[in-house]
Amino acid sequence: MTTTTGTGSGTSYGTDWGAWQRSWDRQQEWYMPDREERFRVMLDMVEALVGPEPRVLDLACGTGSITSRLFARFPNAVSTGVDLDPALLTIAEGTFEGDRRVTFVTADLTDPDWPTQLPYDAYDAVLTATALHWLHSEPLAALYGQVAELVRDGGVFMNADHMIDETTPRINAAERAHRHAGMEQAKANGVVDWAEWWQLAAQDPVLAAPTARRFEIYGEHADGDMPSPAWHARVLREKGFAEARPVWCSPSDTLLLAVK
């Protein structure tokens, strides 16, 4: 097994997929200290509405963060992970190699035909977290329409992401200042941020090539729109869901649940 040492981290990576998963989690938690709480509530709602053996579409799955927590809680679940990022998919595929409960699909969610690549026509739950904010409102609304067609009647869709209510500018500014002050303190204590994490990936002999392809696809970083929870709920209802509302929130993020 090939392993390398991440610069300045003292941690072995390479084909040690567990180490890469842990490093991804720590980097994401720098931005979202309550990240595990949103996953817990997400799976609570899966169990409450579709039961403990769901067929799940892990939308914009990245390294498979949702799928790993899904299997830990519901061993009889089945998951399809969809993403376009070749580096994160490499980590996901390495992590779950040999696990027949999960299938990974490389697809661009802005391509109207991406659902045709899925192994199933319908899912009990479609789950996504911290991923769709790179889409602007119009393509995101179109994606919600496609998701509504993939969710079975009585099934659920959940999106946990940064959702901004522009009607509260003073609250937003105070929250952002407080959150970033905490992030800067953590950074001073040695936490690896997004850019530094990708620098480590680029230095790894296994991930270097897919990381280069990743930046050819996405560039450095692309943010789309971050509409309010009310916008998400309204559009999901317009696209075919019967009910939609937040089921968890922090001062900056929301977990929005829609039921078909």
Side-chain angles (χ1 to χ4, degrees), residues 10-259:
T11 303
S12 293
Y13 294 115
T15 52
D16 185 347
W17 302 119
W20 274 116
Q21 289 285 2
R22 290 188 295 274
S23 71
W24 177 260
D25 285 342
R26 300 296 84 76
Q27 178 258 124
Q28 289 287 286
E29 287 165 359
W30 181 62
Y31 298 93
M32 299 165 289
D34 46 23
R35 183 168 176 256
E36 292 301 325
E37 178 70 6
R38 73 193 66 195
F39 287 144
R40 182 190 66 78
V41 175
M42 178 181 282
L43 296 180
D44 281 350
M45 293 297 97
V46 167
E47 185 173 24
L49 286 155
V50 300
E53 298 185 8
R55 177 189 292 171
V56 170
L57 176 58
D58 187 349
L59 194 66
C61 64
T63 67
S65 296
I66 290 174
T67 293
S68 67
R69 288 154 180 82
L70 176 76
F71 289 165
R73 180 157 170 180
F74 307 126
N76 293 324
V78 173
S79 178
T80 304
V82 178
D83 209 303
L84 185 61
D85 189 312
L88 299 185
L89 279 174
T90 296
I91 296 172
E93 290 166 351
T95 299
F96 295 95
E97 184 177 5
D99 192 331
R100 301 183 66 174
R101 296 173 296 176
V102 61
T103 303
F104 289 104
V105 175
T106 300
D108 183 348
L109 296 181
T110 64
D111 180 348
D113 294 328
W114 72 267
T116 64
Q117 301 181 56
L118 301 176
Y120 302 106
D121 294 329
Y123 289 85
D124 300 309
V126 178
L127 309 176
T128 188
T130 327
L132 301 187
H133 57 266
W134 56 270
L135 286 174
H136 291 285
S137 296
E138 186 174 339
L140 180 56
L143 178 64
Y144 278 175
Q146 292 175 305
V147 167
E149 294 178 359
L150 289 167
V151 174
R152 67 163 174 83
D153 287 346
V156 300
F157 168 68
M158 278 180 270
N159 180 13
D161 213 337
H162 198 43
M163 300 181 187
I164 300 174
D165 187 341
E166 299 292 356
T167 68
T168 59
R170 288 187 296 170
I171 295 173
N172 297 348
E175 180 282 322
R176 186 179 188 279
H178 185 268
R179 175 163 45 90
H180 279 259
M183 290 168 64
E184 288 304 313
Q185 182 58 55
K187 189 74 165 57
N189 292 335
V191 172
V192 173
D193 66 13
W194 169 270
E196 291 167 331
W197 190 90
W198 282 108
Q199 290 171 6
L200 292 173
Q203 295 166 12
D204 184 272
V206 177
L207 291 176
T211 296
R213 291 197 301 273
R214 185 252 177 226
F215 281 96
E216 290 173 1
I217 295 169
Y218 293 107
E220 288 298 320
H221 199 272
D223 277 326
D225 299 331
M226 297 185 188
S228 69
W231 181 93
H232 288 271
R234 174 179 60 79
V235 171
L236 286 163
R237 287 191 293 266
E238 290 173 353
K239 295 298 182 179
F241 287 93
E243 301 176 12
R245 72 165 176 87
V247 291
W248 174 91
C249 69
S250 71
S252 62
D253 287 40
T254 295
L255 171 60
L256 200 132
L257 165 65
V259 180

